[in-house]
Amino acid sequence: MRTKGHPATRIDVLFEAEKIAARNLELAVEIAAGDTENLLVVPVLKGSFVFAADLLRALHHAGLAPEVDFFSLSSYGAGTKSSGDVKILRDVETDVADLNVLLIDDILESGRTLAFAKDLLVARKAKSVKTCVLLDKPDKRVVDLQADYVGFECPDLFVVGYGIDMAHSFRELPFVGVVHTDDD
Ligand code: IMP
Ligand code: MG
């Protein structure tokens, strides 16, 4: 499709909105089957905000009533390559000691972002730290981390939409797609 406001780009849909919505319901059922006592859900902003909002409501449908807090972490800056250096832009305020924490992120790529967040919460004595990602790009992993819950395995392409950005654009798209500029 051609996107209003982004006339020089074409976006090919990779995961459509309906498919994501159906998968969210399944993920919530998988999550609800684990230890969900004193559950704190922690979306890693910004990229996960749309996924996390939908997954949170799916968790309600699966019978859960988690608390929610937020990390804002950055490893990409405005570029399209990970810098490898994770920065905390906003820390979790909740005392995570003895809580079951579920970290939610948009994409697991090198694994550096989630490994950093997980290690930090483990050091703060969380009872458990599990990870849920919408997309897993296993080809680019540099640290040894598998997500506990994965929406979809994603090919090694730069994707946008459903909260995921390219230089701060395209978060508003209701699906996940691949960007092509007019010269490719
Ligand atoms: P990593 O696992 O530490 O390499 O970082 C994963 C993060 O990189 C994700 O949460 C996104 O913010 C970003 N990222 C990875 N792949 C893409 C992509 O295809 N589009 C947009 N952001 C991406
Ligand atoms: Mg991210």
Side-chain angles (χ1 to χ4, degrees):
M1 65 170 284
R2 286 209 176 254
T3 47
K4 231 176 18 185
H6 306 290
T9 52
R10 191 184 81 236
I11 314 252
D12 293 333
V13 178
L14 196 57
F15 300 106
E16 55 198 18
E18 296 72 17
K19 195 169 165 179
I20 296 171
R23 185 69 188 123
N24 286 344
L25 295 174
E26 293 175 353
L27 284 174
V29 170
E30 287 180 37
I31 292 164
D35 182 358
T36 57
E37 201 188 345
N38 299 324
L39 181 63
L40 177 70
V41 169
V42 179
V44 179
L45 299 175
K46 299 173 202 168
S48 74
F49 80 108
V50 175
F51 174 48
D54 283 347
L55 185 65
L56 193 65
R57 285 171 285 189
L59 291 175
H60 165 77
H61 287 298
L64 302 187
E67 292 191 5
V68 185
D69 199 344
F70 301 93
F71 255 138
S72 182
L73 302 177
S74 173
S75 61
Y76 262 45
T80 60
K81 287 247 158 44
S82 175
S83 67
D85 174 25
V86 182
K87 289 190 187 68
I88 303 180
L89 305 179
R90 183 210 185 269
D91 203 344
V92 169
E93 289 171 351
T94 310
D95 177 2
V96 300
D98 302 322
L99 301 183
N100 285 307
V101 180
L102 179 68
L103 283 165
I104 299 182
D105 209 351
D106 53 353
I107 304 173
L108 175 58
E109 195 178 53
S110 73
R112 286 192 194 101
T113 309
L114 274 184
F116 173 88
K118 188 172 176 174
D119 289 351
L120 201 60
L121 298 179
V122 167
R124 293 177 185 171
K125 309 269 188 283
K127 182 180 176 195
S128 71
V129 182
K130 291 204 165 163
T131 53
C132 176
V133 296
L134 176 67
L135 304 176
D136 184 10
K137 290 183 179 174
D139 300 344
K140 285 268 186 76
R141 201 80 86 250
V142 299
V143 302
D144 182 22
L145 187 120
Q146 302 303 322
D148 297 287
Y149 309 99
V150 174
F152 304 99
E153 189 165 314
C154 182
D156 187 14
L157 298 168
F158 195 80
V159 297
V160 296
Y162 199 63
I164 302 164
D165 74 309
M166 183 174 75
H168 310 296
S169 287
F170 305 114
R171 293 193 199 274
E172 75 284 4
L173 299 176
F175 53 83
V176 172
V178 180
V179 185
H180 299 275
T181 50
D182 269 353
D183 37 348
D184 69 14

